Amino acid sequence: MAQGSPARLTPPEGRKFAFTLMAAFGVLAGVSWWRDHPRATLVFGLVAGAFALGGLLVPGKLGPVYRGWMGFARVISKVTTPIFMAVVYFLVISPIAAIRRAVGGNPLRAHRGTTGWVDRHQAPRGDLTRQF
């Protein structure tokens, strides 16, 4: 399940990583500029520029940055995943179950007159004697 980050990135992998983060921080800089936060715009713009330069000049040497970023992402996912799953459970699954119970539907209850067994009396048994 847990795959480690590669020790070294190939130049195309490094470029892809750097340009993806450059675009993300560029969007954050644009949103900060639009909301008139000059200091945040400058910080996000500088980080986006640093990733752009790293992707252009030394894409194969971004392995430590990539490992740090993925470690940070794993830590964040330990917090956000349970929160997201709780929200889905309590806002989606629980109301659907309450509505089904109120209407009278229960998928685990057997239907009247059926046992769940399939009647196989009409199948010839001669074809099962020498299976292999």
Side-chain angles (χ1 to χ4, degrees):
M1 177 181 142
Q3 274 186 326
S5 299
R8 186 167 260 220
L9 293 177
T10 64
E13 290 171 338
R15 267 191 293 280
K16 181 179 177 183
F17 168 69
F19 292 156
T20 300
L21 287 184
M22 176 203 66
F25 280 106
V27 167
L28 288 174
V31 169
S32 297
W33 174 77
W34 180 60
R35 295 189 57 152
D36 199 27
H37 297 292
R39 188 172 294 152
T41 303
L42 179 65
V43 169
F44 289 138
L46 287 174
V47 172
F51 277 113
L53 284 175
L56 289 173
L57 300 177
V58 287
K61 303 227 185 254
L62 293 175
V65 177
Y66 178 79
R67 282 192 305 279
W69 188 263
M70 290 299 124
F72 179 64
R74 274 190 217 100
V75 169
I76 288 176
S77 74
K78 297 283 185 190
V79 175
T80 58
T81 300
I83 292 171
F84 177 74
M85 295 306 287
V87 166
V88 168
Y89 180 78
F90 289 114
L91 295 181
V92 177
I93 295 174
S94 293
I96 291 172
I99 291 168
R100 289 218 40 187
R101 286 189 184 131
V103 175
N106 185 354
L108 298 177
R109 188 177 336 139
H111 299 289
R112 287 203 166 125
T114 61
T115 62
W117 290 96
V118 177
D119 189 20
R120 300 277 186 213
H121 289 113
Q122 54 277 59
R125 297 191 53 92
D127 59 340
L128 299 178
T129 57
R130 298 187 62 136
Q131 297 181 26
F132 300 106

